[in-house]
Amino acid sequence: MSDNNRQFKIQDTVPVRTIGIETERENLDFQHRPPHRYAHVWFAPRPTPVSRLAVLASVLPDSIDDDTLLNWMGFKPSNRNPDDSIAEHVRNKRQTKDQRSGSEHEHYGYRKIWRYTPSDTEKDEIHNSLENTWDGELPTVLDATAGGGSIPLESIRYGLPTIANELNPVPSVVLKALLEYTRTDVDLTDDIIKWGNEIDSRAREELQEFFPERDDEKIQTYLFAHRVTCPDCGLKVPLASNWWLDRNRGSGKAVRPRVNDESDHVDFDIVDIPEDVERDEFNPTDGTISYSKMTCPRCHVTLGSDSLKEKLQEDDFDYQLYAIYYDTYTSGGCEFRKPEEKDFEAFEKATEFADSDVDISTSLTESIPSGEKTTELRRNGMTEWRDLFTPRQLLTHHTYWQKFEEVKQEIQDEYPEQQAESILVYLCLVADKALDYNSRMAQWDASQPKIGHMFAGSDFAFSWSFVEHNLTVEDHGYDWMLSNIAEDVYGGVRELLENSDAPSEVLQGDAADLSIDDGDVDAVVLDPPYYGMIMYAELGDYFYVWMKKYLKDIIPDFFNSTLTEKEDEAVANKSRFEGVESDELSKKELARREYERKMTNIFEEMYRVLNPGGIFTMMFTHKETEAWDTLTKALIESGFVVTASHPVNTENQHRVQQAGRNSADSTILLSSEKRDLQRSEPTLWEEVKKDTQVRAQEKVKQLESQEAEFTKVDMMLASFGPTLEIFTKNYPVVDDTGEEVSPQTALDEARGAVRDYLIEQYLNEGIRDVDAKTEWYVLAWFVFEAQRFPYDEGRRLAVGVGENVDSLKKENRMWRTKSGDIVLRPHGDRVQDVNKAPENRSGRKPVDPDSLSFSTALDKVHAAMHIYEAKGATEAWNWMNDRNCGSDPSFKATLEGLLRVLPHDHDDWKLARDLEAGETGEMLDLDLDSSIFTNDEDDEDRQGSLNDF
């Protein structure tokens, strides 16, 4: 409780389902996102709905009802039934959106809320409520780890005094551009375009000879492959995982390699599939690279990953241009063509020029340090930042920077200092956008077709084939990026902020050492660094080295080091402890401790700057208990007590990190208050344990009653909030021996309570009576709702059922490893082939289908699936009858459990369904609800929410 008993909306109920629906609308609309999202690549940006909710609910009183809050947030449906609340209206519209006849915003009755800025009248109403709550003043909001700026932007839009701090100089520049430069009296949109066009015009003139075109074309993109020489036959092999140019459900346009034996060279023809060639004759999906191994198209010799990387490290490779994507003046459409001799000559000419030019050949020579993410660059032969570009790409970027330098003084002479700085920074953002689309790491997306971002994921994923974006091309090059930055970003954000006169400040520095007086902040709202998921500084260096060239004399305080600051960065970076780990302390544990120490320092600083009656709201999106334990310890040690928590479905399933694997879909909003730093008498864990179990299950029931549609992982995460409330209020907590209990123990207890409740509600009761190994396998599918999930989470689940997760892999072959994650194995990976003689069967597969008894119920079910698939229904009936499957409760419970938990497009689910049907089904006589066999057509790749069962 705060000093003056002030209670906030965030500490009451909030409309999480409504915010989740609106977030989904924003995430799925790739063409019309908030303008600040287009300013610059940064990692894990927060959507507008959850950012706005976090800010407003943290400062408004708990007397504000949900409809009032949603109305102030911009939910103003024109077609709402007066008898429905806004939340009910939004939920109903979400359920019927596929049946709509008009546009999406007509269906919902309002445009996406990111477009909404409160009017002066409504802002006065909000401010009156705030002033009544905050002793006549408007509360000051601080985001100490502001990143891409979603939180402070929303705070300013609602007229609140705002402070944004960021350690990394790259997003710090973006914050200044968004929050400061857009709020001047003079609109500089036309000026940014004017000087950008001047840069573009001068650069085009110099670069024209290196980008020749036909008279009727505008070349947008050059498609390249890295190329190495086959050690056996001498063929120069272009490396690509596939040859698609424009793909649509297996048909489309592709390049077809053609080996030229006379020159040890591979040529290419552009073909239409299947008009020119059938897939059985040429399959564009089959490239020369598969699983990092090269296969020579002439002699079929393979070259392993290590050998390929060795060639890259020794600079024993070059590039092959294999297709050109261009816009035609005559038809106005885009086409592909083969490169011509003049295209090859222009690239060679650019290479010779770049190699001989002193400035270019000595540019960007900063070494790439070894790190968690940068190590992959070094393994692929990239040791300096210049190595991420072909010579022509480097020449292009360097030329545009030179032209920026030429106009810089002209701009500074013509405009007042602040305006000149604004124009120059926005011109730098144009250059940075070009960097995202034009490097050896930028990939071609044949599904659109278009250039893909270099940072599609939060890593330096190497691409064997890549694209070169022609920045000099009219309408699609630098001028397109200029228009996007000047009109969409600068102009768009300026429009969003034009009604706000709120004071704001952008700080650049360590969040643990802010230049803010004690108690000057009323609400801290932040999204902390993502533990070990994103290495911001390592990734940011790619842009930093270029930004430093552009802006070092414009914002010198931001660019006074060779690369970005990494020592003060609060992330769990294992690479920093290379060589200092021991048997007792692994790199992972050392990184965890370092993250906890740094987050504690940050939270202690939040405690210092927060006034006694203030509130601290933190967003956290992480599914691993370890990350939560670390963050909770930091909160406790810095003097906070958790007072409320809310899960909001926010994550974009189209992100590379999310797609195809189990991930937390929700952001948890944790609100905390300052507590007395004097340690109270310890509380016994046995007194806290029961309350933890009850509160965890109550949270899940509450979410179900709200029809919140969270995954089971998110249900468990949602239980962490009330668990931490109990734990922090009773801190310190000790066991009966006096040993202090960690937050992780409480979180595991909450996880177990939620798991038990979900099993009771949604799984067949017989699962509790099967052997522990089978129970783990079924529960893993049930809880994680994906075939792949983090190892540590699988280990915790195994502990919960009394099993060792590693023995489940080694002895039972129930799962395999992929990039440190667990991947559950289907029956085909576990059961020996019954059609082979016993002596010819794979000894790696532990399940013998000829056995009459099995060590686990899962083995028996998987064996039955194999018999059905290999021998048919009659043989399966005989096999099952011989093994008494019809009277085996464990077999029946396991089969039913798999029917309930496996995705309907999984081959094992289909086999389980077939076993339950026909004569084998009559033998088993399972009493199943028909809903088990109803597929969720809206989500083919994963199971639905709890409400789908």
Side-chain angles (χ1 to χ4, degrees):
M1 195 74 73
S2 60
D3 285 2
N4 57 5
N5 295 324
R6 185 186 291 139
Q7 287 288 290
F8 306 103
K9 179 64 177 173
I10 196 77
Q11 296 168 318
D12 193 18
T13 60
V14 294
V16 295
R17 176 61 177 140
T18 312
I19 301 303
I21 292 171
E22 186 63 19
T23 298
E24 178 187 53
R25 291 181 68 201
E26 181 176 309
N27 281 339
L28 292 178
D29 189 351
F30 300 103
Q31 301 298 319
H32 305 99
R33 286 181 173 174
H36 67 280
R37 296 279 293 271
Y38 299 110
H40 198 284
V41 171
W42 203 242
F43 308 100
R46 293 294 88 196
T48 298
V50 72
S51 299
R52 188 173 294 180
L53 173 70
V55 171
L56 292 181
S58 295
V59 294
L60 287 167
D62 62 351
S63 59
I64 300 297
D65 61 40
D66 284 358
D67 265 14
T68 301
L69 174 65
L70 290 172
N71 183 60
W72 285 349
M73 289 183 66
F75 292 86
K76 299 177 181 294
S78 59
N79 55 351
R80 175 166 66 100
N81 185 325
D83 294 332
D84 290 340
S85 68
I86 295 176
E88 289 170 336
H89 170 85
V90 173
R91 187 165 61 246
N92 291 338
K93 291 301 181 182
R94 171 62 177 82
Q95 292 171 346
T96 59
K97 72 182 183 75
D98 291 337
Q99 287 80 50
R100 72 179 189 269
S101 57
S103 66
E104 185 191 50
H105 80 265
E106 290 172 336
H107 176 71
Y108 279 93
Y110 64 94
R111 292 191 177 275
K112 296 178 183 67
I113 68 166
W114 71 259
R115 298 178 181 276
Y116 175 77
T117 298
S119 64
D120 290 341
T121 301
E122 190 165 45
K123 197 183 299 179
D124 288 342
E125 187 179 357
I126 297 170
H127 286 187
N128 285 336
S129 176
L130 291 173
E131 288 166 354
N132 290 332
T133 305
W134 293 92
D135 303 325
E137 301 288 338
L138 291 177
T140 296
V141 176
L142 164 67
D143 182 355
T145 55
S150 297
I151 293 171
L153 181 68
E154 290 305 308
S155 179
I156 295 172
R157 291 180 72 179
Y158 279 81
L160 304 179
T162 304
I163 304 171
N165 176 77
E166 172 58 45
L167 173 66
N168 195 296
V170 174
S172 296
V173 169
V174 178
L175 288 170
K176 287 182 73 69
L178 296 175
L179 307 182
E180 292 185 358
Y181 301 151
T182 57
R183 304 184 67 204
T184 57
D185 293 335
V186 179
D187 185 347
L188 297 172
T189 304
D190 292 340
D191 303 88
I192 297 169
I193 292 174
K194 167 190 168 183
W195 289 104
N197 284 334
E198 182 63 26
I199 291 171
D200 193 27
S201 175
R202 297 186 188 187
R204 283 182 183 179
E205 187 176 347
E206 285 198 10
L207 294 170
Q208 186 176 8
E209 62 180 306
F210 304 117
F211 295 93
E213 295 176 327
R214 297 172 177 172
D215 293 337
D216 63 338
E217 70 179 9
K218 294 187 289 186
I219 296 177
Q220 295 185 29
T221 311
Y222 299 86
L223 280 69
F224 282 88
H226 292 90
R227 186 170 64 174
V228 300
T229 301
C230 174
D232 198 56
C233 71
L235 182 70
K236 294 181 178 179
V237 181
L239 305 175
S241 59
N242 69 83
W243 300 113
W244 284 107
L245 298 175
D246 186 357
R247 181 178 186 178
N248 181 20
R249 297 184 180 274
S251 63
K253 199 174 290 289
V255 287
R256 185 180 188 182
R258 178 165 40 83
V259 176
N260 186 333
D261 291 328
E262 296 180 359
S263 63
D264 287 333
H265 185 79
V266 175
D267 296 320
F268 289 91
D269 297 315
I270 294 178
V271 295
D272 289 308
I273 308 292
E275 290 83 359
D276 295 337
V277 58
E278 293 288 344
R279 290 274 306 261
D280 56 359
E281 180 182 349
F282 166 62
N283 188 349
T285 303
D286 299 333
T288 52
I289 285 282
S290 179
Y291 296 102
S292 298
K293 292 182 180 179
M294 180 202 85
T295 300
C296 176
R298 180 163 64 187
C299 69
H300 307 296
V301 160
T302 61
L303 205 61
S305 174
D306 290 343
S307 298
L308 283 175
K309 291 184 186 300
E310 186 176 326
K311 284 182 173 291
L312 294 174
Q313 292 165 11
E314 294 176 354
D315 206 23
D316 186 15
F317 71 98
D318 61 4
Y319 314 103
Q320 179 165 355
L321 174 63
Y322 65 85
I324 290 175
Y325 186 59
Y326 67 97
D327 189 11
T328 61
Y329 284 100
T330 52
S331 68
C334 292
E335 300 288 345
F336 294 92
R337 70 168 172 84
K338 292 172 55 176
E340 300 171 349
E341 191 61 34
K342 66 176 181 180
D343 300 311
F344 295 119
E345 291 174 353
F347 183 76
E348 289 303 317
K349 186 176 182 180
T351 299
E352 293 172 3
F353 184 92
D355 291 343
S356 62
D357 184 275
V358 175
D359 289 339
I360 299 175
S361 61
T362 57
S363 177
L364 247 62
T365 56
E366 296 94 335
S367 294
I368 299 175
S370 294
E372 189 71 15
K373 300 298 182 183
T374 52
T375 296
E376 183 60 24
L377 293 176
R378 298 182 65 86
R379 279 200 295 262
N380 287 298
M382 302 178 187
T383 59
E384 297 178 341
W385 289 106
R386 62 182 287 112
D387 297 334
L388 274 72
F389 308 94
T390 67
R392 188 164 69 176
Q393 288 174 331
L394 192 60
L395 166 62
T396 299
H397 290 306
H398 184 83
T399 301
Y400 274 92
W401 167 73
Q402 283 183 318
K403 303 312 155 188
F404 172 90
E405 288 294 304
E406 289 178 8
V407 304
K408 181 193 298 182
Q409 191 60 54
E410 298 176 48
I411 294 171
Q412 290 172 331
D413 290 343
E414 183 174 332
Y415 297 86
E417 182 179 355
Q418 181 70 12
Q419 293 180 21
E421 182 177 312
S422 302
I423 294 169
L424 292 168
V425 167
Y426 269 92
L427 291 174
C428 175
L429 296 185
V430 179
D432 270 25
K433 186 172 284 287
L435 291 170
D436 187 30
Y437 287 99
N438 192 30
S439 76
R440 285 171 58 196
M441 314 290 281
Q443 301 183 33
W444 182 249
D445 181 358
S447 66
Q448 298 297 318
K450 65 174 186 177
I451 301 173
H453 291 276
M454 170 179 166
F455 285 108
S458 302
D459 53 30
F460 288 111
F462 184 74
S463 181
W464 295 105
S465 57
F466 63 94
V467 297
E468 179 183 22
H469 188 184
N470 181 10
L471 298 186
T472 69
V473 64
E474 184 181 352
D475 299 327
H476 302 289
Y478 182 93
D479 56 357
W480 169 80
M481 297 173 183
L482 173 64
S483 174
N484 176 251
I485 291 294
E487 296 176 351
D488 300 338
V489 177
Y490 175 84
V493 174
R494 183 178 176 83
E495 183 178 345
L496 295 183
L497 298 178
E498 63 182 353
N499 291 333
S500 178
D501 57 0
S504 63
E505 184 178 10
V506 174
L507 305 177
Q508 191 271 316
D510 188 356
D513 186 20
L514 299 172
S515 55
I516 301 173
D517 291 338
D518 295 358
D520 267 8
V521 171
D522 300 299
V524 174
V525 182
L526 59 80
D527 181 19
Y530 270 32
Y531 192 59
M533 291 176 64
I534 301 175
M535 300 298 123
Y536 303 91
E538 290 185 17
L539 300 172
D541 279 342
Y542 174 76
F543 295 108
Y544 179 85
V545 292
W546 282 100
M547 266 193 174
K548 185 172 63 173
K549 290 169 68 71
Y550 276 85
L551 302 177
K552 63 183 177 182
D553 58 346
I554 297 171
I555 317 176
D557 291 344
F558 284 18
F559 300 98
N560 50 20
S561 60
T562 303
L563 296 173
T564 59
E565 169 59 51
K566 297 176 181 64
E567 289 303 314
D568 293 334
E569 184 184 40
V571 292
N573 190 334
K574 299 190 297 291
S575 70
R576 295 181 188 174
F577 301 94
E578 192 73 44
V580 300
E581 74 275 17
S582 64
D583 293 339
E584 294 76 23
L585 289 174
S586 65
K587 290 185 291 184
K588 181 178 180 180
E589 174 59 19
L590 289 168
R592 186 201 66 76
R593 293 186 180 189
E594 181 74 354
Y595 178 77
E596 181 180 326
R597 180 184 69 81
K598 290 177 178 177
M599 290 309 303
T600 299
N601 292 341
I602 290 174
F603 291 164
E604 285 177 348
E605 185 71 346
M606 299 305 99
Y607 190 97
R608 181 186 70 79
V609 302
L610 189 65
N611 80 42
I615 189 165
F616 175 15
T617 296
M618 177 174 63
M619 302 181 186
F620 198 57
T621 305
H622 209 294
K623 57 188 171 294
E624 296 191 29
T625 313
E626 181 181 78
W628 280 88
D629 180 68
T630 302
L631 210 65
T632 304
K633 288 179 181 176
L635 266 178
I636 292 170
E637 291 300 320
S638 53
F640 287 99
V641 56
V642 177
T643 59
S645 64
H646 305 283
V648 182
N649 199 313
T650 60
E651 292 305 290
N652 181 3
Q653 289 298 319
H654 294 270
R655 274 177 42 211
V656 169
Q657 299 98 316
Q658 297 285 109
R661 61 192 299 181
N662 161 261
S663 297
D665 295 338
S666 64
T667 290
I668 307 297
L669 298 181
L670 280 180
S671 68
S672 304
E673 293 177 346
K674 298 171 74 168
R675 61 173 170 80
D676 190 346
L677 289 178
Q678 295 293 325
R679 286 176 71 94
S680 57
E681 288 297 316
T683 307
L684 284 174
W685 168 235
E686 287 303 316
E687 298 176 15
V688 177
K689 182 177 180 180
K690 183 61 179 177
D691 200 12
T692 296
Q693 296 169 340
V694 171
R695 290 287 300 280
Q697 291 190 358
E698 285 178 349
K699 187 67 176 181
V700 175
K701 293 175 184 177
Q702 177 194 12
L703 292 175
E704 287 183 308
S705 69
Q706 296 174 343
E707 300 182 32
E709 298 184 6
F710 288 102
T711 65
K712 299 177 191 71
V713 169
D714 286 315
M715 287 285 189
M716 291 182 174
L717 290 184
S719 75
F720 288 1
T723 299
L724 297 181
E725 291 176 48
I726 297 168
F727 193 87
T728 55
K729 287 174 181 175
N730 287 282
Y731 179 79
V733 180
V734 297
D735 61 20
D736 54 10
T737 68
E739 288 294 317
E740 192 163 312
V741 174
S742 71
Q744 185 166 301
T745 301
L747 296 175
D748 284 342
E749 194 66 38
R751 178 192 297 269
V754 173
R755 183 186 67 229
D756 290 344
Y757 171 79
L758 295 177
I759 291 173
E760 181 181 335
Q761 294 296 309
Y762 302 105
L763 264 184
N764 46 309
E765 187 64 27
I767 283 297
R768 295 180 183 275
D769 299 321
V770 302
D771 62 274
K773 293 178 174 61
T774 298
E775 183 182 11
W776 177 85
Y777 185 90
V778 175
L779 289 183
W781 271 112
F782 175 67
V783 170
F784 302 118
E785 302 180 279
Q787 190 169 5
R788 179 179 175 182
F789 47 87
Y791 171 85
D792 192 57
E793 298 304 290
R795 181 186 64 79
R796 292 183 183 282
L797 183 63
V799 170
V801 299
E803 276 295 330
N804 182 302
V805 73
D806 293 324
S807 70
L808 295 174
K809 176 188 179 186
K810 295 174 183 177
E811 298 171 16
N812 301 94
R813 198 175 165 82
M814 288 187 177
W815 62 275
R816 61 181 176 85
T817 304
K818 184 173 183 179
S819 301
D821 288 344
I822 287 175
V823 180
L824 295 172
R825 289 187 180 276
H827 87 278
D829 285 0
R830 305 187 65 245
V831 185
Q832 299 168 13
D833 190 348
V834 71
N835 290 320
K836 293 182 178 180
E839 63 271 16
N840 294 329
R841 296 177 185 173
S842 171
R844 297 171 59 196
K845 297 182 178 181
V847 181
D848 180 0
D850 293 331
S851 293
L852 293 177
S853 62
F854 298 86
S855 61
T856 72
L858 180 69
D859 291 353
K860 193 172 183 178
V861 171
H862 273 175
M865 289 179 177
H866 173 67
I867 296 297
Y868 189 99
E869 184 177 45
K871 297 286 191 177
T874 301
E875 285 297 319
W877 190 94
N878 293 331
W879 186 95
M880 291 167 62
N881 186 57
D882 290 343
R883 290 157 181 80
N884 300 314
C885 293
S887 59
D888 183 346
S890 291
F891 181 93
K892 295 163 74 171
T894 301
L895 184 67
E896 180 178 347
L898 292 175
L899 280 168
R900 291 180 180 275
V901 303
L902 289 173
H904 287 194
D905 61 350
H906 195 288
D907 289 342
D908 282 5
W909 185 87
K910 296 173 184 176
L911 287 168
R913 175 199 59 194
D914 293 342
L915 287 172
E916 195 277 333
E919 293 182 356
T920 53
E922 291 177 6
M923 175 196 297
L924 296 173
D925 192 25
L926 298 179
D927 184 17
L928 301 179
D929 190 277
S930 61
S931 63
I932 291 177
F933 302 99
T934 303
N935 203 357
D936 184 355
E937 295 179 357
D938 291 332
D939 197 351
E940 297 179 354
D941 295 327
R942 57 183 291 153
Q943 295 178 60
S945 70
L946 294 175
N947 292 316
D948 295 326
F949 281 79

